[in-house]
């Protein structure tokens, strides 16, 4: 484990956090739009948001592609971090602490995505105007939550090894 490798991990952690936060924001927007569509349908008003189903489908497809790429990267990275010996490169204590901090921030972004997903599902259960790929969204949210948990665990595990090696 080198300083350059850890810098790449930190960059990827920040990138994943931004992606998850953007997905949560977009999902909140879709919830708002869906709520408006349901209100219009309930009042027998013509639904004005005719692009909702297509936009949502595009969002889910893009999120799945992004999630798959990130899952591949993190699977390799986690294996590489765990393969290091206890004496290898653990003098990078500050970078490891930064990784822990960023992993916690990533975890909070994951929580926001879970909240946005639950809010969306509350409205979706009453939506019958078009078929939406909610199963794809569910899959992405589950994968991102699992990945976030694994990254958080890995960061804490790495911090423990670093502190143990440094004698704290």
């Amino acid at each position: 484990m080198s300083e350059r490798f850890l810098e790449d991990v930190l960059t990827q952690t920040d990138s994943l956090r931004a992606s998850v936060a953007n997905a949560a924001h977009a999902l909140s927007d879709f919830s708002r739009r869906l709520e408006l569509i349901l209100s219009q349908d309930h009042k027998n008003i013509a639904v004005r948001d005719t692009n909702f189903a297509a936009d949502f489908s595009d969002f889910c497809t893009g999120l799945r592609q992004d999630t798959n790429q990130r899952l591949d990267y993190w699977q390799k990275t986690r294996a590489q971090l765990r393969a290091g010996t206890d004496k290898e490169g653990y003098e990078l204590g500050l970078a490891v602490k930064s990784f822990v901090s960023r992993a916690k921030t990533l975890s909070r972004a994951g929580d926001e995505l879970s909240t946005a997903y639950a809010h969306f599902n509350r409205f979706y259960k009453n939506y019958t105007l078009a078929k939406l790929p909610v199963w794809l969204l569910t899959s992405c949210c589950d994968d991102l939550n699992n990945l976030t948990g694994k990254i958080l665990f890995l960061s804490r595990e790495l911090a423990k090894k670093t502190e143990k090696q440094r004698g704290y």
Side-chain angles (χ1 to χ4, degrees):
M1 178 172 59
S2 67
E3 186 174 350
R4 185 181 191 130
F5 177 70
L6 265 177
E7 286 175 9
D8 182 49
V9 168
L10 293 174
T11 301
Q12 290 297 324
T13 303
D14 287 341
S15 174
L16 179 58
R17 182 203 48 78
S19 176
V20 169
N22 288 339
H25 179 70
L27 194 52
S28 294
D29 185 48
F30 281 115
S31 293
R32 183 190 52 76
R33 288 172 64 185
L34 184 58
E35 184 178 16
L36 186 61
I37 289 170
L38 290 171
S39 174
Q40 290 170 349
D41 185 48
H42 180 71
K43 295 175 183 176
N44 291 326
I45 299 172
V47 175
R48 296 180 196 121
D49 192 350
T50 57
N51 295 331
F52 178 78
D55 291 348
F56 184 77
S57 181
D58 291 344
F59 166 73
C60 289
T61 302
L63 185 61
R64 180 77 262 169
Q65 291 170 348
D66 184 53
T67 301
N68 286 344
Q69 290 174 350
R70 293 179 189 284
L71 289 172
D72 291 342
Y73 170 81
W74 280 102
Q75 183 179 11
K76 293 173 190 170
T77 301
R78 287 176 58 234
Q80 193 172 355
L81 283 171
R82 288 194 167 165
T85 63
D86 283 347
K87 296 180 181 178
E88 181 184 71
Y90 291 112
E91 66 278 354
L92 305 171
L94 189 58
V96 171
K97 286 182 180 183
S98 180
F99 181 40
V100 171
S101 174
R102 291 177 189 196
K104 287 178 183 177
T105 305
L106 171 62
S107 180
R108 282 186 224 110
D111 292 344
E112 289 174 13
L113 179 63
S114 295
T115 301
Y117 174 73
H119 186 71
F120 177 83
N121 274 337
R122 199 177 91 210
F123 296 112
Y124 174 70
K125 66 182 179 182
N126 297 321
Y127 184 71
T128 58
L129 299 177
K131 196 164 189 112
L132 298 177
V134 175
W135 61 271
L136 193 56
L137 177 64
T138 302
S139 171
C140 290
C141 288
D142 288 345
D143 287 348
L144 288 170
N145 281 329
N146 289 337
L147 179 60
T148 298
K150 288 176 182 178
I151 292 170
L152 186 60
F153 180 78
L154 179 65
S155 70
R156 289 176 177 163
E157 187 178 89
L158 201 55
K160 282 182 187 177
K161 284 184 179 180
T162 303
E163 289 174 12
K164 188 177 190 181
Q165 185 66 25
R166 293 181 70 186
Y168 291 125

